[in-house]
């Protein structure tokens, strides 16, 4: 494909994507298409490469019903989406967290010296950026990373002709409690970050309105 064609494909995908409120519940996403969307999330970049996320694919009707009660902004999507993902952000990702050690030692096979050097880098960076001021700032930093995965998943879906909707319209404390009560994830380690639904549109969306490029881009 030429660059010109690729440019058009990319722009078409961004125009195609819209926040889908209801999906055609009779249409299911093909397994390999959905796996590609998950891969787009998994392969996403993250600060210092620490991948502070987990993707819960919520297909259980029972769990969707429980989330429905707690998610005013996600009701239509929970009822109709082919696939529904709740993205969790990891808590307390610092140089001394077990997760960081797992990534460095088990995954990246760093030796002790490299782990120590990397730990110093993590600490220096997190201090400079006020990331490790408190648990809240640490969680916000992890959450930010999950939104990169979120964006990549939605764009990949759009390229495959699949609709999506990102959602923060849920009671975050109640969802955290639900996940804890159901033993789905350890809420000492994770917190809900954002939801995203996938499927095929029930009806055509309204025209996309955005600020013009000259209002949002400044060349210096
Ligand atoms: C982080 C985030 C949270 C959002 N939360 C919700 C939500 O809870 N429910 C919903 O229907 N739409 C939600 N939206 C969709 C936005 O309202 C929508 O993306 C925006 O109005 C632009 O419209 P478009 O995506 O159709 O172009 C959310 C979007 C983002 C990026």
């Amino acid at each position: 494909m030429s660059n010109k064609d690729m440019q058009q494909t990319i722009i078409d995908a961004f125009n195609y994507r819209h926040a889908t409120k209801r999906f055609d519940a009779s249409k299911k996403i093909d397994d390999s298409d959905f796996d590609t969307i998950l891969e787009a999330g998994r392969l996403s970049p993250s600060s210092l490469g620490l991948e502070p996320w987990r993707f819960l694919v919520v297909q259980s009707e029972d769990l969707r019903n429980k989330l429905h009660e707690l998610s005013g902004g996600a009701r239509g999507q929970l009822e109709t989406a082919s696939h529904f993902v709740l993205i969790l952000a990891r808590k307390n990702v610092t140089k001394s967290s077990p997760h960081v050690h797992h990534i460095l030692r088990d995954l990246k096979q760093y030796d002790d010296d490299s782990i120590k050097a990397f730990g110093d880098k993590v600490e220096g960076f997190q201090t400079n950026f006020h990331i490790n001021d408190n648990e809240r700032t640490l969680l916000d930093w992890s959450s930010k990373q999950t939104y990169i995965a979120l964006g990549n998943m939605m764009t990949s879906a759009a390229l495959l002709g699949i609709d999506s909707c990102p959602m923060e319209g849920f009671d975050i404390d109640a969802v955290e409690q639900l996940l804890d009560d159901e033993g789905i994830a350890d809420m000492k380690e994770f917190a809900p970050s954002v939801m995203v639904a996938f499927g095929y549109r029930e009806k055509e969306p309204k025209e996309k309105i955005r600020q013009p490029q000259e209002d949002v881009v400044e060349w210096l």
Side-chain angles (χ1 to χ4, degrees):
M1 192 189 265
S2 72
N3 264 21
K4 264 263 164 294
D5 289 343
M6 184 56 87
Q7 289 159 11
Q8 195 56 52
T9 300
I10 291 168
I11 296 301
D12 286 348
F14 277 98
N15 278 313
Y16 183 79
R17 189 215 56 77
H18 70 285
T20 309
K21 309 294 174 186
R22 292 190 70 84
F23 300 88
D24 178 344
S26 69
K27 291 193 187 154
K28 293 286 164 234
I29 299 171
D30 173 84
D31 285 350
S32 64
D33 278 345
F34 191 68
D35 190 61
T36 303
I37 293 169
L38 288 177
E39 283 297 87
R42 186 181 71 89
L43 295 169
S44 291
S46 56
S47 186
L48 299 167
L50 293 175
E51 304 172 44
W53 46 51
R54 182 157 290 184
F55 304 91
L56 302 179
V57 185
V58 183
Q59 300 305 79
S60 142
E61 204 183 318
D62 177 51
L63 188 54
R64 281 202 194 186
N65 287 338
K66 286 176 177 157
L67 287 171
H68 195 272
E69 300 278 296
L70 311 173
S71 311
R75 298 229 158 95
Q77 295 88 342
L78 276 160
E79 287 164 15
T80 58
S82 166
H83 291 69
F84 192 94
V85 180
L86 171 50
I87 309 182
L88 304 181
R90 216 173 241 289
K91 291 179 171 172
N92 295 315
V93 176
T94 65
K95 73 168 189 177
S96 43
S97 75
H99 171 71
V100 171
H101 279 257
H102 165 65
I103 293 277
L104 299 181
R105 193 181 296 281
D106 306 333
L107 198 65
K108 300 194 173 172
Q109 311 263 302
Y110 280 16
D111 61 23
D112 286 347
D113 286 348
S114 307
I115 289 175
K116 173 150 188 351
F118 194 87
D120 292 344
K121 187 171 137 185
V122 171
E123 187 171 36
F125 167 67
Q126 289 189 328
T127 303
N128 172 56
F129 239 72
H130 298 288
I131 291 162
N132 56 8
D133 283 359
N134 55 55
E135 287 190 3
R136 175 78 246 170
T137 51
L138 278 164
L139 179 58
D140 285 345
W141 180 62
S142 286
S143 257
K144 279 194 215 174
Q145 317 308 317
T146 69
Y147 280 66
I148 300 172
L150 167 75
N152 286 337
M153 291 167 85
M154 293 193 299
T155 303
S156 304
L159 285 162
L160 292 166
I162 294 168
D163 290 303
S164 61
C165 188
M167 289 153 294
E168 290 175 325
F170 59 94
D171 180 336
I172 198 159
D173 294 335
V175 169
E176 178 161 339
Q177 189 67 51
L178 172 70
L179 297 176
D180 212 25
D181 291 348
E182 301 271 322
I184 291 168
D186 183 352
M187 291 296 123
K188 286 195 237 25
E189 270 189 77
F190 289 101
S193 180
V194 64
M195 297 170 167
V196 55
F198 298 97
Y200 294 95
R201 62 191 66 184
E202 192 175 61
K203 58 178 191 332
E204 286 309 309
K206 293 194 199 116
E207 189 199 349
K208 192 177 285 297
I209 300 173
R210 289 291 190 268
Q211 298 173 79
Q213 202 180 107
E214 58 270 26
D215 286 4
V216 294
V217 177
E218 197 174 342
W219 288 66
L220 304 167

